[in-house]
């Protein structure tokens, strides 16, 4: 079967390592990945505990299809209580680390407590040990990765690590694996740093097997063929997610200058065409595309910075190729702060990967700081002598590095938008929901997206629901609450399989159902998978309610609710949350206070 039926536990406080059987009942109810990790977290800790205390648990979890022949089967999730939001955090990543953890024989790795001194965890099948990491504490992800490879004397070891941002508790620090893939949102890297855990190195030889191998090979083969034929795959392979920047520009939903505008005049300098054109020095940004483990899409980008660009001139260590711009990175390091310098964006993206930070939260936080500066709440005496002006490539380059290294005003930026704006007396300038920064879509232009931001269990997120099609077809609210709800449940299920959400552009529920039905024992019908997604969403909601959140947290900043969109498809519109939210609660089976009713909980087996 595709579950390994094995959980690895590491108690850092006492240095204790143990294994136990996977809870089969929970696996049957929550599948794997996001769902199963959230169930274990809910049982492991008090949701009211401080996210950066030893009482928080940090869970790395694979899905039943992780490491199989299904396309995009390299996904894993990091589940914990997030310090950026105070909510349950589910941060998903690709690359190769997840499959390697599965091949070592483990469905979940549960890390608790806090180590007395910096350590890293070495996993080589059954040989698991905590090793000193003093030599790499204070170093970047890239430096730690190279050091561990030398120590392990194994070029094929797969590593997930944090940088100084994670060590120092940057609220949006992430866990970076394979140098430029990341469990990126909600501050999961800060939780790892709070535990004095620098990295996890995994190497496995166990492999995986399906419950019915013949049926699984047929189902996966058919699904992969359908994905291969799809225009969605071809578009992602050719242009990557960066193509969305032109779509949002044309639509009028591209957040610009801290969401004050919905179009960006410099978009032609940072779009998919721009990354392929040689500049006056004969340099082209894009080197090639790249794929995660088992992926037949290849949406990733590999890029190089012009060696003569001011960000890297004389700094040869940044003249090589690494992770390039994807849409969310480009939006957050470009339009939202008004910068159209392609090499500056690429350098800042390198900094996000090297130092372990979420580019969305960093960019939107920097945008908030720029608006604070413009309003006179900040001046150059507080910003290390740098003019924090919209459009400043210098400010982007300086503070991407300073935030990663936690120097100067970069320490302030590490607080995230919400705490930064509160500190300087302008909380309304933080473009967040539940404390997490918005992604690259303006909710006023996309009502379903606005509702999704407000109701997401991990704070503002574009990946926990899918209202894109209905939003881009209709500026109104009709049907948006239902689409938001059903797509939230569907993405919760997909996140739990161990596969990438980008497969949803070609596959419907049937493809996942056929593969899971062959991979896992028991009868996995489409209805069972739908209910599994709904169960996961409600479990996360219950965690947040126990953590102290209420319906009052299902909201958006005044800019989204009161300031009309200045242009685009929905010009003059605001997010009609007063209409959408009551309808959403009713469809969810929650009361007017956003609490699941006893009937809803009973129907999902959550009572």
């Amino acid at each position: 079967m595709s579950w390994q039926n094995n959980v690895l536990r590491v108690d850092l406080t006492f240095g204790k390592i143990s294994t136990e059987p996977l809870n089969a009942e929970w696996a049957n109810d929550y599948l794997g990945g996001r769902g199963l990790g959230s169930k274990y977290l809910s049982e492991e800790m008090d949701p009211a505990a401080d996210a950066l205390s030893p009482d928080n648990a940090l869970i790395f979890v694979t899905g039943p299809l992780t490491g199989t022949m299904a396309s995009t089967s390299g996904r894993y999730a990091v589940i914990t209580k997030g310090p950026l939001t105070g909510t349950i955090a589910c941060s998903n990543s690709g690359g190769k680390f997840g499959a390697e953890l599965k091949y070592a024989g483990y469905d979940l790795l549960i890390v608790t407590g806090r180590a007395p001194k910096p350590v890293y965890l070495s996993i080589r099948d059954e040989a698991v040990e905590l090793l000193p990491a003093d030599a790499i504490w204070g170093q970047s992800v890239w430096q730690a990765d190279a050091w561990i490879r030398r120590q392990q004397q194994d070029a094929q070891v797969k590593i997930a690590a944090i940088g100084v941002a994670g060590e120092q508790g940057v609220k949006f620090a992430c866990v970076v694996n394979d140098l430029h893939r990341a469990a990126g949102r909600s501050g999961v890297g800060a939780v790892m740093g709070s535990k004095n855990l620098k990295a996890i190195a995994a190497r496995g030889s166990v492999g995986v097997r399906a419950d019915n191998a013949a049926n699984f090979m047929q189902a996966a083969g058919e699904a992969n063929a359908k994905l291969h034929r799809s225009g969605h795959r071809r578009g992602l392979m050719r242009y990557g997610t960066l193509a969305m920047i032109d779509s949002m520009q044309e639509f009028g939903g591209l957040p610009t200058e801290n969401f004050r505008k919905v179009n960006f005049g410099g978009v032609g300098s940072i779009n998919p065409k721009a990354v392929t054109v040689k500049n006056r020095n004969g340099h082209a940004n894009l080197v090639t595309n790249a794929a995660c483990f088992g992926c037949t899409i290849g949406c990733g980008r590999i890029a190089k910075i012009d060696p003569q660009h001011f960000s890297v001139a004389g700094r040869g260590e940044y003249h090589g190729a690494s992770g390039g711009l994807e849409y969310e990175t480009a939006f957050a390091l470009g339009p939202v702060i008004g910068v159209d310098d392609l090499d500056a964006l690429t350098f800042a993206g390198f900094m996000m990967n090297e130092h372990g930070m979420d580019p969305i939260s960093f960019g939107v936080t920097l945008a908030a700081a720029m608006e604070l500066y413009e309003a006179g709440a900040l001046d150059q005496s507080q910003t290390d002598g740098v003019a924090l002006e919209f459009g400043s490539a210098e400010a982007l380059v300086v503070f991407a590095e300073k935030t990663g290294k936690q120097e100067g005003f970069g320490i302030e930026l590490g607080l995230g938008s919400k705490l930064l704006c509160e500190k300087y007396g302008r909380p309304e300038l933080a473009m967040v929901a539940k404390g997490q920064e918005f992604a690259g879509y303006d909710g006023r232009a996309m009502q379903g997206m606005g509702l999704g931001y407000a109701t997401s269990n991990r704070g503002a997120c574009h990946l926990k629901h899918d209202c894109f099609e209905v939003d881009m077809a209709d500026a109104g609210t009709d049907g948006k609450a239902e689409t938001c709800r059903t797509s939230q449940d569907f993405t919760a299920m997909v996140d739990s399989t161990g596969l990438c959400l980008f497969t949803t552009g070609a596959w419907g529920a049937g493809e996942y159902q056929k593969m899971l039905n062959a991979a896992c024992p028991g009868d996995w019908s489409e209805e069972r998978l739908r209910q599994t997604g709904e169960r996961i969403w409600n479990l996360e909601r219950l965690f947040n309610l126990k953590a102290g959140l209420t319906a009052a947290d299902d909201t958006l900043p005044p800019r989204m609710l009161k300031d009309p969109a200045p242009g685009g498809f929905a010009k003059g519109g605001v997010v009609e949350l007063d209409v959408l939210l009551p309808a959403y609660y009713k469809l969810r089976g929650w009361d007017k206070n956003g609490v699941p009713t006893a009937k809803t909980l009973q129907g999902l087996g959550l009572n």
Side-chain angles (χ1 to χ4, degrees), residues 47-346:
D50 187 286
L52 297 180
S53 76
D55 296 329
N56 196 3
L58 182 68
I59 300 175
F60 292 73
V61 55
T62 65
L65 300 185
T66 300
T68 68
M69 66 173 284
S71 183
T72 75
S73 62
R75 308 302 295 191
Y76 75 98
V78 181
I79 312 292
T80 189
K81 182 176 180 179
L84 182 67
T85 60
T87 68
I88 193 168
C90 167
S91 199
N92 200 291
S93 182
K96 299 176 174 64
F97 175 82
E100 202 70 28
L101 180 62
K102 184 80 171 284
Y103 289 163
Y106 306 104
D107 297 299
L108 296 94
L109 162 63
I110 302 175
V111 181
T112 56
R114 174 182 290 155
K117 294 181 179 180
V119 294
Y120 82 92
L121 181 66
S122 174
I123 304 171
R124 303 183 77 87
D125 293 341
E126 295 179 353
V128 182
E129 55 185 336
L130 288 166
L131 299 170
D134 305 79
I136 49 173
W137 197 255
Q139 294 192 357
S140 74
V141 169
W142 293 356
Q143 291 167 328
D145 188 284
W147 184 87
I148 291 171
R149 289 182 190 283
R150 290 194 299 269
Q151 294 291 307
Q152 298 263 325
Q153 297 185 339
D154 185 352
Q156 295 303 312
V157 68
K158 306 303 184 289
I159 299 168
I162 59 170
V164 173
E167 296 173 9
Q168 297 296 322
V170 168
K171 297 295 186 183
F172 47 83
C174 61
V175 177
V176 176
N177 59 275
D178 306 295
L179 297 179
H180 53 80
R181 307 313 301 171
R185 305 223 68 191
S186 308
V188 297
V191 176
M192 191 162 161
S194 75
K195 296 185 175 301
N196 277 334
L197 180 61
K198 182 66 176 180
I200 302 165
R203 193 77 162 96
S205 63
V206 175
V208 295
R209 59 186 178 88
D211 187 60
N212 187 318
N215 286 356
F216 180 75
M217 290 181 68
Q218 180 177 348
E222 291 173 355
N224 292 353
K226 184 175 182 179
L227 178 62
H228 182 76
R229 294 191 301 268
S230 74
H232 175 76
R233 183 198 68 86
R234 290 194 297 272
L236 284 170
M237 181 180 66
R238 183 174 181 182
Y239 301 112
T241 60
L242 188 56
M244 187 59 73
I245 204 164
D246 288 324
S247 298
M248 283 295 103
Q249 172 78 355
E250 182 179 354
F251 183 72
L254 180 59
T256 301
E257 295 185 7
N258 203 30
F259 289 75
R260 295 187 300 191
K261 303 175 183 178
V262 293
N263 298 102
F264 180 50
V267 73
S269 298
I270 57 174
N271 65 3
K273 182 178 180 181
V275 301
T276 64
V277 175
K278 290 183 179 181
N279 65 14
R280 63 177 180 271
N281 298 324
H283 172 83
N285 180 269
L286 182 65
V287 176
T288 186
N289 65 329
C292 299
F293 176 92
C295 179
T296 58
I297 299 174
C299 73
R301 307 288 100 172
I302 301 296
K304 291 182 71 174
I305 303 168
D306 183 348
Q308 298 181 50
H309 189 262
F310 79 89
S311 63
V312 298
R315 303 180 70 179
E317 67 270 31
Y318 297 111
H319 292 179
S322 192
L325 295 175
E326 300 175 12
Y327 173 61
E328 292 299 337
T329 307
F331 131 78
L333 305 177
V336 85
I337 56 174
V339 174
D340 63 0
D341 184 325
L342 180 60
D343 285 305
L345 267 66
T346 304

Side-chain angles (χ1 to χ4, degrees), residues 441-455:
Y441 308 91
D442 192 301
R444 294 169 296 185
M446 307 171 77
Q447 295 289 331
M449 181 66 70
L451 177 62
Y453 283 161
T455 58

